Amino acid sequence: FCSVYPKDYIFSKEKLVKIWLALGFIRQSRKKILEDSGNAYFNELVSRSFFQPYKENYVMHDAMHDLAISVSMEHCERFEDGTRYDNAIKTRHLSFPCTGAGTKHFDPLYGFRKLRTLILMHGYNSKMSRFPDGVFMKLQFLRVLDMHGRGLKELPESIGNLKQLRFLDLSSTEIKTLPASIVKLYNLQILKLNNCSSLREVPHGITKLTNLRHLEGSTRLLLRIPGIGNLICLQELEEFVVLKRPRHNITELRNMDQLQGKLTIRGLNNVADEQDAICAKLKTKEHLRALHFIWDEDCKLTPSDQQDEVLEGLQPHIDLKELMIKGFPGVRFPSWLASSFLPNLQTTHICNCRCTVLPPLGQLPFLKNLNIAGATEVTQIGHEFTGLGQIKCFPALEELLLEDMPKLGEWIFDDADQLFPQLTELGLISCPKLKKLPPVPPTLTTLRIDEAGLESLPDLQKEACPSSLTFLYINGCPNLTSLRVGLLSHNLTALKSLTVAHCEELVSLPEECFRPLTSLQFLHIYECPCLVPWTALERGLLPASVEEIRLVSCSLLAHVLLDGLQYCPLLKHFQISDYQIADYPDISNFPLELLPHTLQFLDISRCDDLQCLPPGLHEVSSLETLHISNCRELESLPEEGLPRGLKELYINQCPKIKQRCQEGGQDRVKIAHIRDIEIDGDVIVLEQI
């Protein structure tokens, strides 16, 4: 098999495994190989250097290719023009280049009458648009036919003669219709129609191919197949759409027990009743690992018991790993959404549902990822969610996201130390009425709070345990007034990134400000005009570890922090914007004693009263990029000039500096050494200086 491809041919793992299966090259543990997509078999091939990883695909090792040629002898060939093939009748596997457009170009194929595999190689110069009708009359023993690639526009009716065909790849062709005779390929197991943009539909008789295991194509193409439930051996079906028309009912799934991987079922609002849902027999589909249940967004169903019964009848197999329920218009979640029915569930998405009470997901022992979004009618999270009588709630949960819950006002919890013992990521987004979160575990590494009604940050469980928090993002919390309580009152020695934005009522920081955050690298404060430290410390309020600082519209805080920049020996990026010097009438520049020599990027914008740039700027030898914008009172560049290593200078809406940097201006010589200069959008080329 390997010898029929050139040395540099790139394979996808999926394609190789499926071809090998169709040829019978892989016989042991056939079921297991199919279930894990050939991962185990491929790992063995790669470990033995038979195939080498190439981006996301694989390419044969040269030695493997040479060995394959020597072993295969006359059984495998790569057809080349001008070569005689005296033993063509013995060849079983052949690759054939499609470089000609006429039917005579394919005449040599008539001699390979015992072929099992035919691979048509399409290059960029391929001219084949129609395959000659007579070839398939002769090659009656074909098992694998690979015709994928550009050029082919028509498939001959004679393809119906290939009764032994197992694998047919027509991907990325320009075929508009498939011949009706294709429904005679009763042994076909794999049919690939990916990226066939010209193909509008497949013959209705395609459902007669009851041995078909893999039918690949666009959802648009496959959802038009009526009676797809006849394909009882099908192992892959990405999406099934329930329609109110014959042979598109959900009961088509009844006997499709070989389905594997993920199945999305759309249009559940078109399911007639609970009995139809039960008849789909999802409970018997043991190979499915993910199920997505989706109701149409534009359906006008009102909350009713009928929809509750439909979802109740869609109970999955006990081994399901991932579940999504989206757009459910019912009033209560199904009874099977609990540990006794889905003990192996690892990922759950509940989106845009109208229920007022969340299901008891805290009982699921292996649940790792939980996303609840658009639960617009939920007003309270209580014990029904965490699970009554549980020793530990959500014992394996690692990621939790609560999003777009406008009525959620309360989260009831008793012993918070029993919640989320393994949680690493928590997101709270668009929950404007929720005022308090339960304490978070020390395992938490990421916390994102965005547009929430919190009055304080959550506290930390088990105060004796050090926190693992590395990322903290707080945005749009109008009720938040102080950071002195909650998480930032603890020694978050692992925290690397802190963002506080659009908290207009936020007034106070922790007592020692940011100094205890000894691992902090990124500090971003936006639109917090009232925020100010409680005290000033001798060596500043920032930890020595900080590398990037962005201060926007927080003049009170910025005025104190600026004095401490000299104690930040690792600072590389500094941005300050909307710094109102008018609040401090005794100064006309930044109160900077000394900028750290590690600084590489400096951005100063919208500082209306600024008259002078930071003193000693020319001594910052590491500075590479300088942005100055909307500083209309800035009179000139520093008298000492700019750093010699500066590579990029961007000036915008600074009229006095612009005039001084024009040709013949007083500051022109100060920018002569800079490689890239842009003033008010105009690029100044180096040769012009």
Side-chain angles (χ1 to χ4, degrees), residues 183-243:
V183 304
K184 298 179 182 180
L185 304 178
Y186 301 119
N187 289 303
L188 195 64
Q189 298 179 10
I190 300 167
L191 175 58
K192 303 184 63 143
L193 302 171
N194 299 314
N195 302 315
C196 293
S197 56
S198 300
L199 187 61
R200 298 304 175 194
E201 62 179 0
V202 297
H204 287 181
I206 201 79
T207 55
K208 295 179 181 179
L209 304 181
T210 55
N211 287 311
L212 207 58
R213 287 163 169 74
H214 303 276
L215 176 57
E216 300 178 10
S218 66
T219 301
R220 171 190 60 80
L221 192 64
L222 300 184
L223 68 81
R224 299 186 180 188
I225 302 176
I228 199 170
N230 291 331
L231 303 179
I232 59 175
C233 292
L234 204 63
Q235 296 174 356
E236 291 178 325
L237 183 61
E238 183 175 326
E239 190 168 310
F240 179 83
V241 181
V242 183
L243 301 174

Side-chain angles (χ1 to χ4, degrees), residues 452-585:
L454 296 187
E455 296 178 346
S456 63
L457 294 183
D459 215 330
L460 191 65
Q461 297 176 7
K462 302 176 182 176
E463 294 187 13
C465 299
S467 171
S468 302
L469 193 66
T470 59
F471 179 90
L472 177 57
Y473 179 92
I474 307 163
N475 177 61
C477 297
N479 300 327
L480 188 63
T481 59
S482 174
L483 299 178
R484 299 201 74 186
V485 295
L487 278 172
L488 286 175
S489 66
H490 300 270
N491 290 328
L492 304 181
T493 55
L495 191 66
K496 294 183 179 180
S497 177
L498 172 61
T499 298
V500 183
H502 301 94
C503 298
E504 286 79 5
E505 301 302 319
L506 185 60
V507 175
S508 60
L509 285 165
E511 185 173 348
E512 294 188 68
C513 200
F514 306 110
R515 280 276 292 274
L517 309 177
T518 53
S519 297
L520 190 66
Q521 298 176 3
F522 306 97
L523 176 62
H524 302 162
I525 310 291
Y526 306 113
E527 304 287 345
C528 297
C530 301
L531 187 59
V532 64
W534 279 59
T535 183
L537 301 177
E538 183 178 345
R539 294 183 60 83
L541 304 175
L542 297 166
S545 58
V546 69
E547 299 179 9
E548 178 177 302
I549 300 175
R550 300 187 183 191
L551 304 174
V552 178
S553 297
C554 50
S555 296
L556 298 177
L557 176 64
H559 183 69
V560 180
L561 294 185
L562 286 171
D563 273 333
L565 292 186
Q566 59 182 310
Y567 304 116
C568 300
L570 302 178
L571 187 64
K572 298 178 182 178
H573 184 121
F574 182 68
Q575 174 188 353
I576 186 166
S577 180
D578 282 334
Y579 177 54
Q580 302 302 321
I581 297 176
D583 295 336
Y584 304 92

